[in-house]
Amino acid sequence: MMDFAVVIALVLCALTVPGFGDTGSGKAQSCSDIRQFYNGNGFSLKGVPQSEISGEHLRICPQGYTCCTSVMEDSLSNLSRTEMQGLIRDAGRALQASLNGQYKAFDDYLLELLNRSEVVLQESYPPVLGFLYTQNTRVFSDLYTELRRYYRGSNINIEEALNEFWARLLERLFKGANGQYLIGDDYLECVSKQSETLRPFGDTPRDLKLKVTRTFVAARSFVQGLVISGEVVRKVSQVPLSPECVRAIMKMTYCRHCRGVPSARPCANYCANVLKGCLANHADLDTEWRNLADAMLQVANRFEGASSVNVVFLSLPKRISEAITTMMDNIDTFNTKVFQACGNLREGGTSNIGLEEVKKRGKVTVQDSPTSGARLEKLVSDVSRRLRDMQSYWVSLPSTLCSDRVATRAQGDDKCWNGMARARYLPEVMGDGLASQINNPEVEIDITKPDMTIRQQIMQLKIMTNRLRNAFNGNDVDFQDTSEFLCCIIVSLISLYLGLEPECPLPASEVSIKCLI
């Protein structure tokens, strides 16, 4: 009986002796592996232990026997932060580069279409219109200038720009076709006022306004969506990791070296919990990020069919020439009604080319330009595929980083690093987003304090999505500088901070009213 008690005592003593490294041996293990690793990362070996020491001084890693000093722990903590932030930024740069590439491809193509359209007009009009074109080239070039400025994001009302073009064209054509008369500015103003009832250009201005507005609004909002989404990725990917996150990453990444088990990669679920905690705010972008991608996919569908950018951009010369032809065919009737409404004109003009000479020149004919439909179809297909692929980016980022560079792939591995030893990781994996991290066992997070930079980017996504939905419905959208929405963003951020539902009236006019109130 006494012998049995002695055996039990010896067993208990053996179980309570601290283990060294991962061997359970009573002999302190060599620190040669971490010395080589530590020095290989550019750190001095001064103060680095030759063999394991007691780890009561450690603040992040397990406090058993260790090869790390406090200085080493700090150095490796900084290294782990730099490396993880580099991985996050690299992933962001890859997505941003893809979005920028799609933007450049679309932007180049759309401007090329607009340039081709203007060249066709410049080459087709002079032979027929003669002086009516050469003396009024500014009217046509100004139209294309305004269309380019609008596409580029200038604060231009495209419908007003088109109305201005037709008004100027009417005045110049009327004056040119009646060169034998003295026509003053007041008379031309009266002529312009008759255009709504007399409709000298037929249905073309109204039809063209509808198609041009819808197409340019869609084109501008779409490329702007690509730019904004790329900027959101850039800014969010540069958000620094929190001190709590850095501690968790250090523990996951390099504490295994301190513990003497450098070959044990972090357990998959362990890595998932660490990065879901570190990237909790990033994951909160998910809803608005998906909304933006869906809205862009909808707008992309506007680029094909009878009202595609190819058809509308390249048909401008032909449609304008049809309007001019309509006016010239009916100039006698138009003149008669104008004279009745505005009064008769006195002869004495400087032009010796009268109405009959203009009518003899014939009609302006413009051949349809090739539409490069296959090229546009490929552009739309490529960007649509990329938009679908990126929809889950923010919630899948933790698993992407873990599987690519950090953790073991085996979910049930019982020889992986679990933060304390080489053993199975037992805690369950947390959900996505800040609110799901309240019980995260690896990262201490205050879920009541969301990251303000990321919240601002969420608001940017909401604003852009709203613009895209307006564009899809054919409504003009106002692309003011982001600063014009600053008040709205601040109001929404405060609401989010207080746990209230953010209320942001997105159109600029409503934002101004809201903020003034």
Side-chain angles (χ1 to χ4, degrees):
M1 186 69 178
M2 185 66 176
D3 290 341
F4 179 75
V6 171
V7 171
I8 293 297
L10 289 173
V11 171
L12 290 174
C13 287
L15 291 175
T16 58
V17 173
F20 296 90
D22 200 54
T23 65
S25 170
K27 184 179 178 181
Q29 300 297 306
S30 169
C31 293
S32 59
D33 286 343
I34 193 169
R35 285 174 62 85
Q36 181 179 358
F37 167 80
Y38 193 69
N39 189 240
N41 279 281
F43 300 116
S44 170
L45 290 177
K46 182 180 180 180
V48 177
Q50 295 285 348
S51 59
E52 289 181 325
I53 60 176
S54 180
E56 290 86 354
H57 58 280
L58 298 179
R59 291 167 296 172
I60 300 175
C61 296
Q63 293 187 333
Y65 280 87
T66 182
C67 282
C68 289
T69 64
S70 295
V71 172
M72 293 174 66
E73 193 178 42
D74 289 340
S75 298
L76 291 174
S77 181
N78 291 331
L79 176 63
S80 66
R81 180 185 63 237
T82 300
E83 289 178 337
M84 183 55 68
Q85 288 185 162
L87 290 176
I88 294 169
R89 288 176 182 173
D90 286 346
R93 287 191 191 101
L95 178 55
Q96 188 183 359
S98 176
L99 291 168
N100 288 345
Q102 299 291 348
Y103 160 76
K104 190 175 187 310
F106 261 96
D107 186 60
D108 289 347
Y109 180 69
L110 294 174
L111 288 176
E112 179 186 319
L113 283 179
L114 202 53
N115 291 339
R116 282 169 55 194
S117 176
E118 185 172 19
V119 168
V120 168
L121 185 147
Q122 292 169 344
E123 293 176 348
S124 303
Y125 281 28
V128 178
L129 290 180
F131 84 99
L132 281 181
Y133 176 77
T134 56
Q135 290 185 359
N136 300 298
T137 54
R138 185 70 179 269
V139 176
F140 300 99
S141 64
D142 282 353
L143 171 64
Y144 279 89
T145 297
E146 289 296 277
L147 292 176
R148 287 190 188 89
R149 289 184 61 216
Y150 175 84
Y151 169 72
R152 282 300 191 198
S154 296
N155 186 23
I156 295 172
N157 186 310
I158 193 168
E159 292 189 5
E160 290 181 2
L162 290 169
N163 289 339
E164 176 67 15
F165 165 73
W166 291 114
R168 290 177 64 194
L169 183 61
L170 173 61
E171 291 179 1
R172 299 303 178 86
L173 290 179
F174 179 81
K175 194 171 183 177
N178 294 282
Q180 70 275 27
Y181 296 115
L182 292 171
I183 306 175
D185 291 340
D186 290 342
Y187 198 91
L188 288 176
E189 184 177 348
C190 180
V191 173
S192 295
K193 291 179 179 178
Q194 310 310 310
S195 61
E196 287 189 19
T197 55
L198 299 182
R199 297 170 61 197
F201 297 118
D203 293 330
T204 299
R206 186 178 302 173
D207 180 58
L208 204 58
K209 181 194 296 185
L210 178 63
K211 290 181 178 178
V212 168
T213 298
R214 291 180 72 92
T215 302
F216 271 82
V217 166
R220 184 171 81 161
S221 63
F222 186 79
V223 296
Q224 190 71 12
L226 291 171
V227 172
I228 292 296
S229 56
E231 279 297 289
V232 168
V233 173
R234 182 182 67 83
K235 291 177 181 178
V236 173
S237 298
Q238 292 177 348
V239 172
L241 300 174
S242 69
E244 295 77 16
C245 172
V246 173
R247 288 175 59 87
I249 291 175
M250 163 59 189
K251 185 177 179 182
M252 176 181 73
T253 309
Y254 291 128
C255 284
R256 56 197 172 101
H257 291 266
C258 296
R259 196 64 174 163
V261 286
S263 61
R265 296 186 69 188
C267 303
N269 286 352
Y270 173 38
C271 181
N273 274 342
V274 170
L275 291 188
K276 278 178 180 285
C278 288
L279 302 176
N281 281 282
H282 298 61
D284 282 346
L285 287 157
D286 182 62
T287 298
E288 294 306 325
W289 184 255
R290 290 177 184 273
N291 288 341
L292 176 67
D294 287 340
M296 291 184 68
L297 285 168
Q298 284 185 320
V299 173
N301 292 330
R302 293 280 188 210
F303 295 151
E304 299 178 307
S307 298
S308 73
V309 288
N310 276 333
V311 174
V312 173
F313 280 35
L314 296 179
S315 68
L316 279 173
K318 182 178 181 181
R319 299 305 309 277
I320 294 172
S321 73
E322 290 172 352
I324 294 173
T325 298
T326 298
M327 180 174 176
M328 291 297 100
D329 286 345
N330 299 284
I331 191 66
D332 290 324
T333 303
F334 182 73
N335 274 354
T336 299
K337 293 183 178 180
V338 166
F339 294 158
Q340 290 174 352
C342 302
N344 292 322
L345 291 167
R346 290 188 302 108
E347 292 191 2
T350 57
S351 175
N352 57 6
I353 301 180
L355 175 59
E356 294 304 319
E357 184 64 25
V358 172
K359 292 169 67 176
K360 287 179 183 178
R361 289 183 177 272
K363 299 179 181 180
V364 178
T365 58
V366 179
Q367 297 296 323
D368 287 324
S369 300
T371 59
S372 306
R375 182 179 170 191
L376 177 61
E377 184 178 339
K378 185 178 186 307
L379 283 172
V380 172
S381 174
D382 288 347
V383 75
S384 297
R385 182 174 61 255
R386 191 68 190 97
L387 289 170
R388 292 188 183 96
D389 290 343
M390 79 176 196
Q391 283 184 309
S392 63
Y393 176 79
W394 296 110
V395 292
S396 63
L397 186 57
S399 62
T400 299
L401 295 176
C402 285
S403 62
D404 285 352
R405 301 285 296 275
V406 180
T408 178
R409 293 177 181 271
Q411 296 289 349
D413 189 357
D414 58 1
K415 294 184 179 181
C416 55
W417 173 250
N418 67 5
M420 296 299 294
R422 182 157 56 183
R424 186 185 298 270
Y425 183 76
L426 299 178
E428 65 176 342
V429 177
M430 298 294 100
D432 300 313
L434 190 61
S436 300
Q437 306 310 311
I438 189 169
N439 293 318
N440 192 311
E442 309 304 334
V443 188
E444 184 179 343
I445 300 175
D446 186 349
I447 66 171
T448 67
K449 294 182 179 179
D451 184 89
M452 291 295 101
T453 298
I454 293 180
R455 260 41 193 186
Q456 182 177 348
Q457 297 312 304
I458 290 174
M459 189 57 58
Q460 288 282 47
L461 293 174
K462 287 185 177 182
I463 291 170
M464 191 65 243
T465 300
N466 186 73
R467 291 170 172 172
L468 285 159
R469 286 171 177 166
N470 278 331
F472 178 74
N473 293 323
N475 300 322
D476 201 354
V477 284
D478 186 16
F479 282 102
Q480 297 293 323
D481 187 80
T482 306
S483 60
E484 294 195 6
F485 294 91
L486 182 59
C487 177
C488 180
I489 291 172
I490 292 173
V491 170
S492 297
L493 291 178
I494 292 173
S495 299
L496 283 167
Y497 183 79
L498 295 176
L500 304 175
E501 183 68 22
E503 180 181 353
C504 182
L506 300 177
S509 59
E510 295 182 33
V511 170
S512 301
I513 294 171
K514 177 77 173 181
C515 293
L516 286 172
I517 294 174

